[in-house]
Amino acid sequence: RGAPEHAELADGTPLAAETARRLACDGRAQLVLTDERGRPVGVGRVTRTVPPWLMRLLHQRDHGCRFPGCGRQTHLHGHHIEHWARGGSTDLQNLVLLCPHHHRLVHAELRFLHPDGRPYRTGPPGLDPAVRRRFGEAA
């Protein structure tokens, strides 16, 4: 349809239409398909892996690790908010940037430990040994 409506470098720097045409002459261009509202369309359920063009959009939107208080801006992962194995899509609205540490953390089963390394027990506390003996349970 002639001149592109919008062109930018990978870091988000906007380009004039003539500059984009000149660079495209000898370069490699990546197109981003948008819906009727101008929102980028992802790859849906086709693949779990976030393609490079979608990672660039994530970086542009999130500006770093989204874990509260982190803000790391390099070596980030695209994390599925609704896990891909549970039907989540590889689309911008279902992805968030996380640093490797916080990405592992959100997937880990959390365990809480006492300062001496003993795990905290979950659930209600056990019966007092005297009460257990009274009811004939082994201590």
Side-chain angles (χ1 to χ4, degrees):
R1 295 185 350 180
E5 292 181 33
H6 178 78
E8 63 185 36
L9 297 175
D11 68 359
T13 304
L15 295 176
E18 183 54 39
T19 304
R21 279 192 290 277
R22 193 172 50 243
L23 290 173
C25 180
D26 293 325
R28 179 173 163 248
Q30 288 190 350
L31 303 176
V32 176
L33 180 64
T34 58
D35 66 13
E36 64 281 349
R37 292 185 185 161
R39 295 178 303 205
V41 177
V43 294
R45 296 280 306 150
V46 173
T47 179
R48 176 188 61 79
T49 305
V50 181
W53 65 267
L54 191 50
M55 280 299 290
R56 282 194 295 279
L57 290 174
L58 274 170
H59 278 273
Q60 186 177 31
R61 183 193 71 191
D62 292 354
H63 304 288
C65 178
R66 295 289 299 273
F67 196 89
C70 180
R72 182 174 170 179
Q73 296 184 350
T74 59
H75 307 290
L76 302 175
H77 300 168
H79 168 71
H80 289 82
I81 297 166
E82 181 181 347
H83 199 286
W84 195 83
R86 294 188 189 108
S89 62
T90 306
D91 295 325
L92 190 60
Q93 69 272 13
N94 190 46
L95 294 168
V96 65
L97 280 180
L98 294 173
C99 69
H101 172 73
H102 290 121
H103 197 188
R104 281 189 304 275
L105 184 64
V106 299
H107 283 288
E109 180 181 326
L110 296 178
R111 292 180 353 151
F112 297 96
L113 304 175
H114 289 276
D116 65 4
R118 292 177 297 116
Y120 277 99
R121 291 187 52 188
T122 58
L127 291 174
D128 181 88
V131 173
R132 289 170 63 183
R133 282 192 298 274
R134 182 173 170 202
F135 288 102
E137 296 178 9

